[in-house]
Amino acid sequence: MKKITSLFLFIMVISCSGNAQETKKEAAKSFKIQKTDTEWKKLLSPQQYYVLREAGTEKPFSSPLNKNYKKGTFVCAACKTPLYRSEHKFDSGTGWPSFDRPIEGNVALDVDYKIGYARTELKCNSCGGHLGHSFNDGPKNTTGKRHCINGVALEFIEKK
């Protein structure tokens, strides 16, 4: 019994110290488009900079894109990467433009703990600009996802 206990303790010490001693930090994702803060500030409005570069949130019901249901594409306001198609937009009633899916490969997922618990943060996969968050309360007849996006992080290109 003593040998089993000793072996168990030895294994626990090795496994704990192995994990505890590792100080590897995940490298921040490197995005294709890189600019300095000064360059972003010249390119973006103060509100766009606050949302896209500082992960801020615009006031609900403040974006004209919230009620835009024209056919076209919603692109990143910072780098013009196509992010969402109009056919995937829906009225969530939350006050922010909402989509049930992004254009494949153009929106990166991250984890945000800003309000004390983990949320899925959505970022432009080209420039890393903060777009909003993803929730599992979207339309059940499609993906069940709701990409809640700050309108100021988007620009709309109407389909001709």
Side-chain angles (χ1 to χ4, degrees):
M1 182 69 171
K2 237 181 180 181
K3 285 184 181 182
I4 292 174
T5 305
S6 296
L7 181 60
F8 177 75
L9 286 173
F10 177 72
I11 292 170
M12 290 301 292
V13 168
I14 288 175
S15 66
C16 289
S17 66
N19 291 336
Q21 297 304 316
E22 284 186 40
T23 56
K24 289 184 193 174
K25 289 185 180 177
E26 250 184 77
K29 178 172 172 37
S30 180
F31 294 96
K32 290 182 281 190
I33 298 171
Q34 301 278 324
K35 295 188 185 300
T36 65
D37 284 341
T38 303
E39 290 172 319
W40 285 123
K41 284 180 181 178
K42 285 181 185 174
L43 183 67
L44 303 170
S45 73
Q47 182 69 6
Q48 287 173 322
Y49 183 85
Y50 168 68
V51 170
L52 286 160
R53 306 316 309 167
E54 297 179 330
T57 302
E58 70 185 359
K59 292 179 183 174
F61 303 101
S62 65
S63 173
L65 294 180
N66 193 36
K67 295 292 184 183
N68 177 359
Y69 291 100
K70 297 174 185 172
K71 291 187 186 257
T73 304
F74 294 84
V75 301
C76 176
C79 71
K80 313 308 180 230
T81 295
L83 301 172
Y84 296 95
R85 291 193 174 88
S86 59
E87 60 263 27
H88 299 132
K89 187 173 187 294
F90 66 97
D91 187 356
S92 65
T94 61
W96 290 279
S98 296
F99 304 85
D100 70 354
R101 72 195 81 164
I103 293 174
E104 192 172 332
N106 291 359
V107 174
L109 305 179
D110 202 352
V111 180
D112 164 7
Y113 294 95
K114 267 181 142 175
I115 61 173
Y117 60 89
R119 294 185 298 172
T120 303
E121 181 182 9
L122 302 167
K123 293 181 176 184
C124 172
N125 204 25
S126 295
C127 71
H130 170 78
L131 304 171
H133 293 89
S134 178
F135 302 96
N136 292 322
D137 59 0
K140 300 295 179 214
N141 61 334
T142 62
T143 64
K145 299 286 184 190
R146 173 174 55 100
H147 283 207
C148 187
I149 308 298
N150 290 283
V152 74
L154 301 172
E155 288 180 5
F156 180 70
I157 300 172
E158 191 169 359
K159 187 175 183 179
K160 301 283 180 198

